[in-house]
Amino acid sequence: MTRSKSDKHPEASARRGFLRTSLLGGLAALTAGRSQAEPAPLPVPPWTHHPGAGVGSAPYGQPSSFEKQVIRRFLPWMRATRESSVSFTPLADLHGIITPSGLHFERHHAGVPAIDPAQHLLVIHGLVEQPLKFTLQDLLRYPAVSRVHFIECAGNGALEQRGAQLNKVQYTHGMISSSEWTGVPLRLLLGESGLRKGARWLLAEGADAAAMARSFPLDKALDDALIAYAQNGEMLRPEQGYPLRLVLPGWEGVANVKWLRRIEVGERPWEMREETATYTDLLPSGKARQYTFIQEAKSVITSPSPERPLPGKGAQVIKGLAWSGEGKVKRVDVSFDGGRNWRTARLTGPVLDKSLTRFEIDWDWNGREALLQSRAIDETGYVQPSYRELRAVRGTASMYHNNAIQTWLVHADGEVENVQLG
Amino acid sequence: MSNWAKGLGLICLAGLGGCQAPDSTSTPTDTRHYGYGQPVSAMELSSWDIDVGPDGAGLPPGRGTADEGEPVYLEQCAACHGEFGEGMGRYPALVGSRESLTTDRPSKTVGSYWPYATTVWDYVNRAMPFGNAQSLTADQVYGITAYILAMNEIIDSDTEMNAQTLPQVRMPNRDGFITATGTDIHAPVCMTDCVQEVKIVSRASDSALARQGE
């Protein structure tokens, strides 16, 4: 007869014994004080008796009908038209680091074009040795690269710059999403066209009815820029640029040009409307910072949040998201007293470059009001600022690149409110 | 030597950075030439190559004055931007607010904020009128641009805008921009007793926007 494992490993046996005792103790504590009546057997629902839908009844599967509230939302009063507006990702309802493609936030400048890929081309021209045109089929033949990156609108949090405004994390932070993007490195295509002397900036232009165009430096093109045709394993969604988009990892969303049709190589930036009149950060001096591409380190607690009140006092797992446009998230700290004291949270992984990163921290809530904050630090050492620190430099009219620390006021009843501290 | 290798050599010699070795575990070889793209001619590109630079590069032949542009503006633009460029509802104002940039409520109009007149031409040409973009003639775009500049008292109503004169227009906020180099925020890392006083200064429950709701 073989010996049991516990005989071989008396320490493990002792540990299991301890666990068993403490679990039983916990159960005893749970049941103490409850009714002594024997509870009824657990119900056996109809779906356990009868078969469900057969294969092929949903050729393209949809979320459970019980998840209908998990949708992108928009604010009708926010912009002049829905075609030039924004919809927000429901961050409080999501898990892990991938945003489902259908829930990726939207920002369009002239609606979502319905592009026939057979009629779409990408051209690369300007200061190149050979101007080239590529069909989607051409691009699919190149070596493919897949990387997980967030895309965040530079205007994420813009409405909050003068004070706490909107009482949902979906609205305060929902202009960020994260996907696995697949495509061709831009530097590979620039290798195909060659570069001519003087090449330093590129213009990326969309095929939408805004012909949305942005300049960006050649360094980024040669570093990690991607001409993406796929998102989370399937071709791009129309809202995310089908059939082609530029992905500039970690850089403001608007520079990740959707419905990409053209890349021109030149010597200097083009000073397009969306890099002068808009997407520039106006400072208290009246001067504006321009070409502020990088979405600097930021984080937010998604549970609890206005959409996720605390169910009762006692043990809580605080959960949230952190990210940095400059690399990996190194650390996230959480405060429960409005930033007076901080504890370091655990990163639950995966921790990827320029990607959403999950953090969690345990907290025993005593049922009294609390002010919850999170603070991201990235691998460059950059520290997410408080509103006080951000406003000291940028004032309250800079509109874009608001990465200030969010404060949630947990009320005694567990409800959560968006507030700002002085 | 491939085109790419030549291009890369140029960049490295020019000292512009960005030529560090790619991560061999996740990126394909950059030196291989695949040749799947097809040459594209200047004639083919002419309908797409619409960008105009701040030096006027890309401006097509054509001309227009504010006087000539006014009726086109009133027909094509005024419904959203107002007869005087004052903006309608959430459609942006194009005119005025020159001294507003340092106030609590800055208004970023063509006159108060835009650094280059060429950007007005480029944007009207590529994206306007909203709903029927890229439908205006070059003369119409010169005329509308001139009219917007004249409403902002930057040029006279009879000054002709063309590929030579437009880039020479000096916009009031031409020197209003700083190119970002690195971060402007340097927050400390503090773990205990970091803040003297914790005081709530604004709440979503007091916000008019939150009450406006969804």
Side-chain angles (χ1 to χ4, degrees), chain A residues 150 152-154 250-253 292-297 324-326 401:
Chain A
F150 73 82
E152 182 183 21
C153 180
W251 286 19
E252 57 187 1
T292 40
F293 292 109
I294 297 169
Q295 296 295 114
E296 292 174 332
S324 167
E326 293 210 271
H401 306 102

Side-chain angles (χ1 to χ4, degrees), chain B residues 24-107:
Chain B
S24 61
T25 60
S26 63
T27 52
T29 308
D30 287 340
T31 48
R32 173 83 185 257
H33 187 73
Y34 295 90
Y36 301 148
Q38 295 300 310
V40 61
S41 72
M43 174 58 83
E44 287 178 281
L45 285 167
S46 61
S47 53
W48 284 17
D49 185 9
I50 57 173
D51 54 89
V52 172
D55 57 357
L59 279 172
R63 55 165 300 287
T65 66
D67 290 337
E68 290 160 344
E70 181 175 1
V72 189
Y73 175 90
L74 292 175
E75 188 193 324
Q76 300 279 355
C77 320
C80 296
H81 296 292
E83 277 186 45
F84 307 100
E86 72 275 23
M88 308 276 274
R90 292 205 163 266
Y91 289 98
L94 307 176
V95 173
S97 304
R98 280 271 184 103
E99 304 302 321
S100 75
L101 297 184
T102 53
T103 68
D104 186 46
R105 295 284 164 177
S107 175

